Amino acid sequence: MAKTFKLTGGKKIAEALTFIEVKTKNSALLHVGFPSGGTELNGEPTALVAFTNEYGRIVRSKEGDYYQMPRPFFRNMIAKGEKHWGADLAALLKANDYDAVLTLEQMGEEMVGELKESIQELTSPELAPSTIKRKGFSKPLIDTGNMLNSINSWVVEKK
């Protein structure tokens, strides 16, 4: 159970801050996204495929070059999530007795779910007719499902 403090006077505040400092000594860094080493079925790195979907790119093909429009699933997730992540982090820290690593692992799970949801919700810009014909459906960002299923989070402890 998390320790609670009644903060009155300088000594109590100092005590509370010292307690929190000691508990959060195991600070860490949270990563959410596409781990290095993952590849798509065609051998392309999954992180590169995600990046080019996020920001767009020039595609060179036998039929001619074209611009693949950006599909900002990551930026959309951040814009939506940043409104509540601070409060979520604070609540988790308190619930986890200020264990930074455990808290970030749980935040990572939450953010992975939000990133997957962002991919599933994205419908614009529409796919080119040739892409729809090749895939057999019109949902952007979903082809084989590999990119969606590759999203992960990992925590790196800072010593």
Side-chain angles (χ1 to χ4, degrees):
M1 182 191 270
K3 185 171 183 173
T4 58
F5 298 93
K6 182 176 180 182
L7 301 177
T8 56
K11 185 177 180 186
K12 290 289 185 183
I13 291 172
E15 182 182 309
L17 291 174
T18 300
F19 171 78
I20 292 169
E21 178 187 20
V22 168
K23 292 300 288 186
T24 57
K25 283 281 188 199
N26 64 341
S27 65
L29 183 63
L30 172 62
H31 298 267
V32 176
F34 302 89
S36 62
T39 59
E40 295 297 296
L41 298 177
N42 65 4
E44 277 189 279
T46 302
L48 177 61
V49 170
F51 179 86
T52 56
N53 275 298
E54 180 73 20
Y55 292 102
R57 68 177 174 162
I58 299 293
V59 176
R60 305 207 183 284
S61 71
K62 294 175 187 173
E63 295 80 33
D65 297 352
Y66 64 93
Y67 182 65
Q68 178 185 320
M69 297 292 292
R71 293 180 169 83
F73 64 95
F74 220 113
R75 288 174 284 173
N76 290 350
M77 182 266 298
I78 292 168
K80 188 176 175 182
E82 70 182 354
K83 295 175 179 111
H84 64 85
W85 289 335
D88 294 355
L89 183 64
L92 285 170
L93 270 170
K94 188 173 181 182
N96 292 326
D97 200 25
Y98 300 94
D99 183 323
V101 173
L102 178 59
T103 296
L104 289 177
E105 288 171 348
Q106 292 171 348
M107 276 299 296
E109 291 172 16
E110 176 182 328
M111 294 170 85
V112 164
E114 291 176 13
L115 188 54
K116 288 181 176 185
E117 182 179 290
S118 181
I119 288 173
Q120 292 164 334
E121 289 176 349
L122 191 131
T123 59
S124 178
E126 294 179 3
L127 297 174
S130 59
T131 304
I132 296 170
K133 183 178 179 183
R134 177 186 57 78
K135 288 173 49 166
F137 56 94
S138 62
K139 175 70 181 91
L141 299 176
I142 305 286
D143 195 346
T144 65
N146 188 64
M147 187 179 85
L148 180 71
N149 293 325
S150 296
I151 299 169
N152 208 335
S153 66
W154 59 102
V155 174
V156 177
E157 285 190 65
K158 296 171 106 182
K159 301 290 180 180

